[in-house]
Amino acid sequence: MSKARRRNDSVVVIGLGRFGEALALELMQSGVDVLGIDGDLQLVDALTGRLTQVVAADSTSEAAMRQLSVHEFDRAVIGIGSNLEGSILTASVLLELGIRNIWAKAVSHPHARILSQLGVHHVVRPEHDTGKRVAHLVRGRMLDYIEFEDGFAMVKTTPPQKIVGQPLASTGVRREHGVTIVAIKRYGHDFTYATAETAVNADDIIIVSGRTSDVENFSELN
């Protein structure tokens, strides 16, 4: 990979366990070059030929990372979970190398807090986040759920009976429930943007945005 290619279209994934492997392969599937790094030779061998480049190396060694030209990348993901010391030291090395965007997996709240305090740009807790998301889906009619910062969320759900057959402008959804219907999917068709004139059918799927509590309450309407 050339330096320009590496900066614009590639990611370093460090830690090739289940999370790192799945992420790296998904990136490859979407056309992103991936340099995979792990200290376990078995994990490296299992992904040889499936990633752009995969090597066995000590990610806590700045010298080793420089030798692999990791400092030339703009984006890196730390998928190390069970080895907290390795995760934290790897994050420190990447920050020292000046990587502009670092994502790191955390396995606990203290782990996440330490990574954030170090200066890691994006800290994710896959099992925790998935558990929260599934809890929201289990409780009502939501088909999918995404929560953003500051208590804002978007959900995919079916429409409540009270708004079926009416143009959205006349349903009072935003005024009464504090949410906005942003997209709609008719049976057999793709999603399209919803407008004030859009009338919702009973078998439609809708995307609703708003404060987390508001979209949850709206999705539970009959």
Side-chain angles (χ1 to χ4, degrees), residues 2 39 50 74 79 122 127 174-175 184 193-194:
S2 69
R50 303 174 70 191
D74 281 341
H122 312 277
E127 292 182 356
R174 187 177 300 180
R175 182 182 66 256
I184 185 171
Y193 289 111

Side-chain angles (χ1 to χ4, degrees), residues 24-42:
L25 292 174
E26 185 67 22
L27 288 170
M28 289 291 295
Q29 193 76 3
S30 60
V32 176
D33 287 330
V34 175
L35 167 61
I37 300 173
D38 199 287
D40 187 328
L41 189 56
Q42 285 188 322

Side-chain angles (χ1 to χ4, degrees), residues 8-27:
N8 294 328
D9 272 324
S10 52
V11 177
V12 182
V13 178
I14 300 173
L16 300 174
R18 286 177 296 179
F19 173 78
E21 176 186 0
L23 186 144
L25 292 174
E26 185 67 22
L27 288 170

